Amino acid sequence: MITAVETLAIEVGVAAACDALEMPRSTWYRRHRPKPDLAPRPTPARALSPVEREKVLGMLHSPCFVDQAPPTIVATLLDRGEYLCSSRTMYRLLASKHEVRERRDQLRHPVYHRPEVLALGPNRLWSWDITRLRGPGKWQGFYLYVILDVFSRKVVA
């Protein structure tokens, strides 16, 4: 896709084309800079080996730790005299397996749908309402009770 700046830049130059179209030159140069080839990031020397990762994941999935947060697990292991990795590393490992969520077993409530009623004829479905009306004096009032037929929208009582 050739933009207006590129078309005009061929004839008058980049600086004049950008000035004429009120576009910063830095934007034009940034868009036309060749993309660098990004090499994959090397693995750090202190990273966990695949065997150590599986050991940590196995420990996270063990019955005694399955419902606890990583900082709690690290503290429990330190009390036992063990150190596998930091809590942040545990969170990274759980995220790589898409397991970062509430780990406790919780009740899932079903989605309740609002009941919907259909009036198929007169005098089959009624609705009601209560309204307070002002009275003749202060702190005096009347309550108006109304029962409506939903199908015909007429007052029944």
Side-chain angles (χ1 to χ4, degrees), residues 84-101:
L84 297 176
C85 63
S86 67
S87 61
R88 181 68 188 117
T89 302
M90 288 183 188
Y91 275 117
R92 267 191 226 107
L93 290 174
L94 288 171
S96 69
K97 301 288 185 183
H98 304 289
E99 295 179 2
V100 179
R101 59 173 182 80

Side-chain angles (χ1 to χ4, degrees), residues 60 65-76 87 90-91 94 103-104:
L60 286 169
F65 293 127
V66 76
D67 61 346
Q68 294 182 3
T72 308
I73 296 171
V74 169
T76 305
S87 61
M90 288 183 188
Y91 275 117
L94 288 171
R103 301 184 71 211
R104 293 175 290 180

Side-chain angles (χ1 to χ4, degrees), residues 19-89:
D19 288 341
L21 296 173
E22 297 180 356
M23 178 182 175
R25 266 186 283 156
S26 59
T27 302
W28 190 87
Y29 283 115
R30 190 178 312 111
R31 288 180 183 167
H32 290 81
R33 183 181 340 155
K35 303 266 189 268
D37 292 333
L38 297 176
R41 188 173 160 216
T43 306
R46 294 176 13 185
L48 295 177
S49 67
V51 174
E52 290 172 327
R53 286 182 187 193
E54 290 304 317
K55 182 179 177 183
V56 172
L57 281 171
M59 186 264 320
L60 286 169
H61 294 139
S62 68
C64 59
F65 293 127
V66 76
D67 61 346
Q68 294 182 3
T72 308
I73 296 171
V74 169
T76 305
L77 289 175
L78 286 175
D79 287 343
R80 294 181 189 171
E82 297 179 48
Y83 182 78
L84 297 176
C85 63
S86 67
S87 61
R88 181 68 188 117
T89 302

